[in-house]
Each structure stands twice: as structure tokens, then as C-alpha cells.
Amino acid sequence: MFQGKVLGIYTAPARKEPMVSQQEVHVVPGKGIEGDRYYIGNATYSDRAGPHREITLIERESLDALEREYGYSLEPELSRRNVLVSGVPLNHLIEREFTLGDVRLRGLLLCEPCANLAETSGRSNIINHLLHRGGLRAEILTEGTISVGADILPAGED
């Protein structure tokens, strides 16, 4: 079906703080990524309970399309997503389980671009440019470590 790779991992300690590149992170079901703003409870939407804030992913291919189709680039950390992937059709993972290395996740819903992304990127039109390809919100099902270079596979194919 697919086999992708983790190209980058990003966390921020608080809302509006710059995202910091990580080589690996520890993830906890029901909490998120250790050290990240949502895990700590210091994020823009921390008051909205639910697993859809645990981890977010975005495709390298979506960022490449911005440059190809609209003539500007967006650095992965400015997307405000936690995990940059390649070779994975994230939109197809809604309500499906998949693995990042040895960690199992479940895709929940699209992570559509918002006003925060427009503000941090300095591009008000980015909301339309990334509509339906702004990433995926996922629930962490098993505790473990996610590393840059890890394989991404549909559940049951690891």
C-alpha cells in the first residue's frame, strides 16, 4: 500500500514559540509528545480536550507543491506540525491505524491550515493553498520513541 519515512520531528515548549527540530521524541498515549506544548498543556488549543492534539503530521510533498504551484516555500517547522513525512498519503489515513517505527497511531482528521499558520508563516493565502493537504491529526495508541528515518507503514504491515 505505502511505505514512507519520517524526515523531521518538531516540537515547541509553548504556544507561539518556535518549533525546534528533534532527532527523536518519546510519545505517550493520551498526552502527546514529551516536551511539546500540547503535552505540557501550554498550547493555543490546550483547553480543547481530546486525542486530536496528541501529534500532527504533514507530507513533504505538500510543502513541495506550495513552491511548485504558488512559487514560495514553507520550512517544515513553520507548518507547526510535529512530524514531516514522505511517501505517505496522509489524507487516506483517517480512521486507520499505522506505525511510525514501533509506535502505533490512528489517524483522526485532517489538520487544516488556520489563522495561526497564516500568521506564523506571514502568508495569508496559505490557508487556501494548503486546504485539504495541511496534514493529519493522529492519536497515539502505544508509548514509544519516534526517530527521524523511521519507517511509516499501515498497521499490520510492519
Side-chain angles (χ1 to χ4, degrees):
M1 181 179 236
F2 68 83
Q3 180 173 355
K5 288 278 186 198
V6 173
L7 301 181
I9 303 171
Y10 307 91
T11 61
R15 74 177 132 247
K16 301 200 186 246
E17 290 291 316
M19 299 289 278
V20 177
S21 178
Q22 310 287 343
Q23 285 301 302
E24 69 177 29
V25 290
H26 186 252
V27 299
V28 179
K31 291 284 290 177
I33 302 170
E34 282 187 0
D36 188 57
R37 63 206 184 277
Y38 284 101
Y39 186 96
I40 297 166
N42 189 11
T44 302
Y45 301 108
S46 288
D47 60 337
R48 298 180 189 175
H52 55 283
R53 305 276 180 222
E54 292 179 13
I55 190 167
T56 56
L57 301 91
I58 191 165
E59 297 171 30
R60 172 81 254 171
E61 293 82 355
S62 291
L63 300 181
D64 291 344
L66 277 178
E67 189 159 6
R68 184 177 60 252
E69 296 170 15
Y70 301 105
Y72 66 91
S73 63
L74 180 70
E75 295 301 317
E77 63 273 13
L78 292 180
S79 74
R80 305 297 289 174
R81 307 301 184 251
N82 299 120
V83 182
L84 176 67
V85 303
S86 181
V88 180
L90 293 177
N91 288 19
H92 297 277
L93 294 179
I94 295 172
E95 297 184 14
R96 299 195 57 203
E97 292 186 16
F98 58 101
T99 60
L100 270 66
D102 64 351
V103 173
R104 186 177 287 256
L105 303 176
R106 177 184 300 116
L108 297 176
L109 58 129
L110 295 182
C111 192
E112 296 289 13
C114 64
N116 284 341
L117 178 58
E119 180 184 334
T120 59
S121 70
R123 300 254 182 206
S124 60
N125 54 1
I126 199 165
I127 294 172
N128 291 330
H129 296 169
L130 280 179
L131 189 63
H132 306 313
R133 57 183 178 183
L136 178 71
R137 296 182 183 283
E139 177 181 14
I140 300 165
L141 300 177
T142 60
E143 185 170 349
T145 301
I146 299 171
S147 302
V148 171
D151 289 329
I152 305 169
L153 298 167
E157 295 185 27
D158 44 339

